[in-house]
Every structure is written in C-alpha cells, then in structure tokens.
Amino acid sequence: MAKKTYICPYCLSTHNISDYLFRCSNIKCEATPDVEMTEYLMGDVDNPKLMRTVFEPIKKNKELFAECPFCRQRTYKIVCPDCHNALPAETLAGENIIISVVGARDTGKSHFVGVILKELTNRVFASFGGALEAFDDSAERYERIFGRKLYVELKKLPLTKSSEIDADNGAYRPLVFTLTLPNKGKTTNFTFVFYDTAGEDIKDEDTMNSVAKYIAKSDGVIFLLDPMQIPKVTEKLDPDVVRRASSVGWKNSIRAEDILARVIRVIRADRGIKIGKKLPVPVAVALAKFDTLFDIIPAGNAVAKPSPHCASGGFVAKDAFDVNQEVIAMLSSWEANAICGQIALNFEQYSFFALSALGLDNNPKKDDRIERPRPHRIEDPLLWILAKKGIIPVIK
C-alpha cells in the first residue's frame, strides 16, 4: 500500500504525502523573512530570520525538484510546510524511526547519544550491511554538541540545557539521519531521529510539556537509570567514584518512577489509551554508567561480556533474555526494583539492559578529562527496539 502521510521529524506535524514545500538552494538568490522557521527556533517573529525563499511549486513531480520563482534555479530541498525545516527524501518515501532518550538529570543521556551515534555510523549498522548518514546540519551539530568534546578534547559533556532556553537542545531540535538497510536483495530507507531530553525538561509536569510531543510520537523509548542515584549502590562504591560519575546525588534526584509515570501519562494522553491497558511503545530500560559497577556484580554475568549482536548479524534473543534477568536481579538486590513492576504493568514490550557509554575504567577524572570512549553494550537497547519493529533479524 502506498504511503499516504508523513510526519515531520522536527515539529512532528502530520501531513498528506503531497503536502510539502521547496526552499531555494541558490546562494545568490535573495533572502526573505521566514516566520515559520523563526517561530520553530523560538526567535522573535517580529524580526524574522532571513533565509532563502520557501515556495509552493507550480507542479509537483516524483523526482522532488522545483524551479525557484525568483532566480529560476532548480532546487531539490524539500521543507515542512509548518516549520520550514528541510526534509529528507526518505521521510516521504521511507519510514520514520523516532527514538527518545529519557531519564533524570545527569543519568548520562548526552553521553549515551553522543557515543551511540558515533558507533551506529562507524560500526553498528555497517555490521548489518547498512549505512547511517547525517542529514542537513545534523553532522555539524553533532560535532559541536557531542563529538568534538568527547573525541577530540576528551572531556565529559556538560548537562543538557532545558529546551525552554536553548533551541539547540537535543529534544527541541533533534539529530536527523537517513538509514539504509538491505532487505531481501533490495534496500529499505528510514528517517532515523534521535531526541535527547534534558533532565530539566521532565522535572515536573509543566516543563515536560516542552518535550511531551516527542516522547508521545516515539517509536521506541530508551529510559536510562543512574545507579549513582540508588542508595544501596553508592554504599558499596568508593565515594570518589560516585562523585566523578554523577553531580546529582540520590538525595537530590527525582525518582526514576516519578519520571516514568510522567512519560506513561504523556503517551496515554496522546494516543487515547486508558489506564489499565498496556502501551504498545517498546521501552528499553538501561542501567547506565555500568563501568562504575563492574567490581560489585557477580562474576561471569552475561552483562559483563561484550555485546554479541553485531558479530552475529542479528539480535541475539538468548543474550537479551539473560541480561534482562540479571539487571532485574541487580535492581532487586539493591532494593530498587519498584520500576520493574511499573514497567510490566504499563508496557506490552520491555526489556532491561546495562551499558556504559564511556567504557570500562573510563569514569571522568576530577578535572572532567576522559579517555576516548570505548562503549560497553551501548547498542543493545536500540537494537532491541529495531528488532521489535522488525527492522533487523532476531536470532533465537
């Protein structure tokens, strides 16, 4: 069946498949006020941003190009009619995969996003015969927000600013990629969208409104748990390790269960799903900062071993089952398993994981310096979501 609608990966408005505009790509063409883009970027609409003109083509065609009415140059840049952000061709012809990364303040969300995107681009999808490419300004923004500091300056990332004060926030303005994967001798194309929600944006019901629509429209949610915010864990660790791993102690942190409850309410409200009925969105609950826990978990656990999925060419179900059971057992032993019941009662599909974005023995130093990230099992939650969506094969 032909695709009839699409969702803008930026403003998440839904449109008919033929409902799109073009932006002139000729650098010599005169700039005009763009109120829609200015509003999206939280600018002053009375003094709108000047950009190359956006226009409705005289005639639309399958090749997705049009002639600018002012300079008469051909352009291939399609844009959303609501926010005027550029749209990948895959948004119209392929499928959107929207992933939200959620968690309390300082749970390691930005480190997760910064490292997982590097791994997906350079290693993970290549192992499945695919390719992930940044779209529009996402490559430049990735390097500015994540890559340069993590991989060149070798320093830990600062806490993400709220979307209420920063339009470059990873939840307000997402990183957009195009993903191509082989499929029965052909290729399947996706628009791959990552939203990184600031902890500040989900600290209460009012501020959460700024990111609610992204969470509600997600095809999968990765919910990060910070072990440094579990009292029984911090009792077992060197206080210096705890301080370097987290700037927010458990006494000052918002309970993970409270944040998850808000996420559940947002999804229920958007999709009209009543309390008592489970949500269809796959949720991966990941115990982050696993590098700090390596010495206090049982020897021989599957979670301590390298991820097997990429080398196997598919998502290894047996490994995921073992890791899920081990993480639930850890949370129970630390008297932190209330979230397990909350997840089971509200979601049709869920699984627990453990990961380290920076890698074993790479806890930030006192001066915030790190070694080059060498992540441990960072791809597992995302690959599980893609397996649940039928995008990658499952190995039983």
Side-chain angles (χ1 to χ4, degrees):
M1 183 180 294
K3 187 174 179 179
K4 294 183 178 180
T5 62
Y6 72 90
I7 297 176
C8 172
Y10 293 94
C11 68
L12 294 179
S13 56
T14 300
H15 301 277
N16 292 327
I17 203 68
S18 60
D19 185 15
Y20 54 86
L21 302 177
F22 285 88
R23 185 185 296 280
C24 182
S25 55
N26 179 9
I27 61 174
K28 295 182 180 180
C29 191
E30 184 177 354
T32 59
D34 193 326
V35 175
E36 287 82 357
M37 179 61 86
T38 302
E39 186 174 23
Y40 175 81
L41 295 174
M42 298 190 297
D44 180 4
V45 294
D46 293 326
N47 185 28
K49 183 180 178 70
L50 295 178
M51 301 184 70
R52 286 190 286 278
T53 188
V54 168
F55 60 92
E56 176 88 36
I58 296 175
K59 183 179 180 180
K60 294 184 178 179
N61 53 70
K62 293 181 179 179
E63 287 74 27
L64 295 178
F65 67 82
E67 183 181 283
C68 174
F70 298 104
C71 69
R72 300 302 177 186
Q73 292 286 325
R74 178 179 288 190
T75 179
Y76 292 86
K77 188 179 283 290
I78 55 176
V79 300
C80 170
D82 281 5
C83 67
H84 286 188
N85 274 290
L87 297 174
E90 289 81 359
T91 296
L92 300 181
E95 181 180 345
N96 277 7
I97 300 296
I98 299 174
I99 305 294
S100 290
V101 183
V102 181
R105 190 165 175 78
D106 202 18
T107 53
K109 297 184 300 299
S110 293
H111 285 124
F112 174 83
V113 173
V115 176
I116 188 65
L117 287 174
K118 175 76 77 173
E119 293 295 309
L120 293 177
T121 303
N122 294 347
R123 177 180 63 86
V124 174
F125 285 129
S127 71
F128 290 91
L132 186 74
E133 298 178 356
F135 174 73
D136 199 38
D137 66 346
S138 287
E140 180 274 326
R141 292 178 57 242
Y142 169 83
E143 288 300 327
R144 174 163 45 84
I145 300 170
F146 302 105
R148 192 176 306 145
K149 189 169 288 288
L150 285 173
Y151 292 92
V152 179
E153 298 175 11
L154 300 180
K155 297 189 70 175
K156 80 172 187 178
L157 298 171
L159 295 176
T160 304
K161 295 179 181 179
S162 170
S163 59
E164 292 186 333
I165 61 173
D166 183 10
D168 214 20
N169 171 291
Y172 192 85
R173 184 165 172 77
L175 292 167
V176 179
F177 293 75
T178 59
L179 171 63
T180 304
L181 288 172
N183 181 15
K184 298 178 181 179
K186 300 180 180 180
T187 58
T188 304
N189 300 309
F190 304 90
T191 303
F192 200 75
V193 189
F194 246 104
Y195 292 98
D196 170 22
T197 58
E200 285 293 288
D201 285 334
I202 50 179
K203 66 184 180 181
D204 58 44
E205 300 286 351
D206 292 335
T207 56
M208 191 168 175
N209 287 336
S210 60
V211 298
K213 62 181 178 180
Y214 305 113
I215 295 172
K217 300 297 184 186
S218 293
D219 296 290
V221 175
I222 298 176
F223 192 92
L224 295 185
L225 295 176
D226 185 355
M228 300 301 102
Q229 295 176 10
I230 299 175
K232 290 292 183 180
V233 171
T234 59
E235 291 174 6
K236 298 174 181 287
L237 298 176
D238 185 323
D240 181 58
V241 170
V242 176
R243 280 193 298 271
R244 289 186 286 121
S246 179
S247 61
V248 181
W250 64 267
K251 293 181 181 179
N252 300 313
S253 65
I254 304 171
R255 292 192 333 138
E257 295 90 337
D258 294 338
I259 293 174
L260 181 59
R262 291 170 194 153
V263 169
I264 291 168
R265 283 196 291 272
V266 162
I267 298 174
R268 286 196 185 283
D270 181 79
R271 305 192 183 197
I273 300 175
K274 296 180 180 180
I275 295 174
K277 188 173 181 180
K278 294 185 178 182
L279 304 175
V281 182
V283 58
V285 184
L287 192 63
K289 305 177 184 178
F290 183 72
D291 51 290
T292 62
L293 307 175
F294 201 76
D295 293 333
I296 65 170
I297 66 167
N301 269 14
V303 72
K305 300 173 184 177
S307 174
H309 309 296
C310 291
S312 302
F315 190 77
V316 183
K318 175 62 167 59
D319 177 80
F321 175 83
D322 291 341
V323 169
N324 176 71
Q325 295 298 104
E326 290 173 3
V327 173
I328 290 175
M330 288 182 210
L331 293 172
S332 179
S333 70
W334 299 329
E335 299 177 12
N337 59 335
I339 198 168
C340 300
Q342 189 180 19
I343 289 284
L345 286 171
N346 287 282
F347 291 92
E348 292 177 0
Q349 302 176 92
Y350 62 89
S351 192
F352 286 78
F353 301 87
L355 60 89
S356 172
L358 299 181
L360 306 183
D361 299 320
N362 200 13
N363 196 14
K365 308 296 189 294
K366 291 181 179 179
D367 61 357
D368 290 345
R369 303 289 298 183
I370 60 170
E371 297 176 15
R372 184 181 175 85
R374 43 179 187 272
H376 178 77
R377 286 188 172 269
I378 193 170
E379 65 267 34
D380 291 11
L382 179 61
L383 292 181
W384 174 79
I385 291 173
L386 297 184
K388 288 297 180 183
K389 303 292 290 184
I391 295 171
I392 62 171
V394 176
I395 299 174
K396 296 184 179 180

